[in-house]
């Protein structure tokens, strides 16, 4: 692909900043970064691979910040991280073999259910709840399933992790965000390895976005540590509703 103009690199920096900020708080930064990459004219596969590289850097900063704040100590988390990494590689490899059409139709409705459940349950994630599943079983089940999904398709990965950790592990939204980001980083890196092996990454575009990501992710993670669930819940709801609307619009447009 031909080189991008300085203006394009500047706009990608801003998109990386906005995506990193939103992603660190509630996930869904790809709603900003993927369209920005596609707007440069790069092929969809390269846009997705480039997005995985730049978002991995921002997510790594958020995970580091959450780790320092003690939000990555949940039992079973590092098993979920390891399995998410491996499963996402399998998911990325399966893209060329399996049909995504069913997921494209199903995921918007699942995300809508997440949004409605969260909106109606006003205490969702405000306080720690009751643990309903063994952390090890949870890590094995969701590490494999959500990790594979992130490598294969991806939209809503963070939302599904957040809902699962609050509902089944009893974490509050602050702890759920730390768990989600660590697992999400692993699946990003696993699928990124596959994109790199296929040459589907635009490095200069990724470099511009990484600069913005690092700043945005650090600011967003800092706000989560200071503000907690009071900040996360409204941003989480806004992101899930926006992602649902976008995916439904894409489905109707097709």
């Amino acid at each position: 692909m031909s080189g991008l103009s300085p203006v394009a690199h500047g706009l990608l920096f801003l998109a990386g900043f906005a995506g990193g900020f939103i992603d660190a708080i509630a996930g869904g930064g790809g709603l900003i970064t993927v369209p920005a990459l596609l707007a440069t004219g790069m092929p969809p596969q390269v846009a997705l691979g480039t997005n995985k590289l730049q978002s991995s850097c921002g997510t790594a900063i958020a995970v580091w910040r959450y780790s320092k704040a003690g939000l990555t100590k949940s039992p079973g988390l590092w098993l979920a991280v390891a399995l998410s990494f491996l499963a996402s590689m399998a998911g990325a490899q399966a893209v060329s073999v399996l049909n995504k059409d069913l997921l494209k139709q199903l995921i918007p409705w699942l995300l809508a259910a997440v949004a409605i459940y969260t909106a109606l349950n006003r205490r969702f994630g405000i306080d720690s709840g009751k643990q309903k599943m063994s952390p090890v079983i949870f890590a094995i089940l969701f590490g494999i399933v959500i990790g594979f999904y992130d490598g294969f398709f991806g939209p809503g990965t963070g939302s599904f992790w957040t809902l699962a950790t609050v509902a089944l592990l009893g974490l509050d939204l602050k702890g759920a965000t730390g768990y989600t980001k660590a697992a999400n980083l692993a699946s990003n890196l696993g699928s990124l390895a596959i994109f790199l092996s296929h040459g589907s990454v635009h490095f200069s575009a990724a470099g511009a976005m990484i600069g913005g990501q690092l700043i945005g992710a650090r600011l967003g993670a800092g706000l989560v540590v200071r503000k907690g669930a009071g900040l996360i819940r409204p941003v989480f709801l806004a992101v899930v509703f926006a992602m649902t609307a976008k995916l439904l619009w894409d489905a109707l447009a097709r």
Side-chain angles (χ1 to χ4, degrees):
M1 180 182 167
S2 60
L4 300 176
S5 71
V7 172
H9 281 96
L11 292 173
L12 289 176
F13 175 89
L14 294 175
F17 172 83
F21 184 79
I22 294 296
D23 219 31
I25 298 172
L31 283 171
I32 298 169
T33 56
V34 172
L37 287 164
L38 289 171
T40 67
M42 65 179 64
Q45 196 73 1
V46 175
L48 292 174
T50 304
N51 185 63
K52 284 294 183 186
L53 175 55
Q54 64 88 28
S55 67
S56 293
C57 294
T59 305
I61 289 293
V63 170
W64 172 75
R65 187 71 177 84
Y66 295 146
S67 178
K68 287 185 65 178
L71 300 181
T72 56
K73 295 181 179 179
S74 300
L77 171 57
W78 298 108
L79 176 59
V81 164
L83 292 174
S84 292
F85 179 83
L86 296 173
S88 69
M89 294 181 74
Q93 287 284 20
V95 167
S96 59
V97 181
L98 302 176
N99 193 322
K100 289 185 178 179
D101 287 345
L102 178 61
L103 275 179
K104 287 178 179 177
Q105 296 172 28
L106 180 62
I107 293 305
W109 302 106
L110 291 179
L111 282 171
V114 170
I116 292 168
Y117 173 82
T118 306
L120 294 178
N121 185 353
R122 298 185 63 84
R123 299 299 301 170
F124 176 81
I126 300 299
D127 303 303
S128 299
K130 184 178 179 182
Q131 182 180 304
K132 299 174 184 175
M133 181 180 286
S134 157
V136 172
I137 294 175
F138 178 90
I140 293 171
L141 176 62
F142 287 93
I144 292 173
V145 172
I146 300 183
F148 183 90
Y149 168 76
D150 193 25
F152 181 71
F153 190 53
T157 297
S159 303
F160 295 137
W161 269 120
T162 299
L163 177 65
T165 50
V166 171
L168 299 176
L169 291 184
L171 299 181
D172 62 15
L173 273 172
K174 198 171 175 180
T177 300
Y179 195 114
T180 293
K181 287 294 125 187
N184 213 171
L185 175 61
S187 57
N188 277 345
L189 292 173
S191 52
L192 173 61
I194 303 302
F195 281 114
L196 286 169
S197 71
H198 293 162
S200 298
V201 174
H202 191 295
F203 288 101
S204 75
M209 299 190 88
I210 286 169
Q213 269 279 349
L214 297 182
I215 300 170
R218 185 174 177 83
L219 290 175
L223 280 175
V224 167
V225 171
R226 291 195 302 273
K227 302 291 186 181
L231 170 71
I232 301 168
R233 189 177 188 277
V235 178
F236 176 77
L237 273 171
V239 168
V240 174
F241 274 119
M243 195 176 303
T244 302
K246 181 185 183 303
L247 291 173
L248 284 173
W249 175 266
D250 289 347
L252 291 172
R254 282 194 299 272

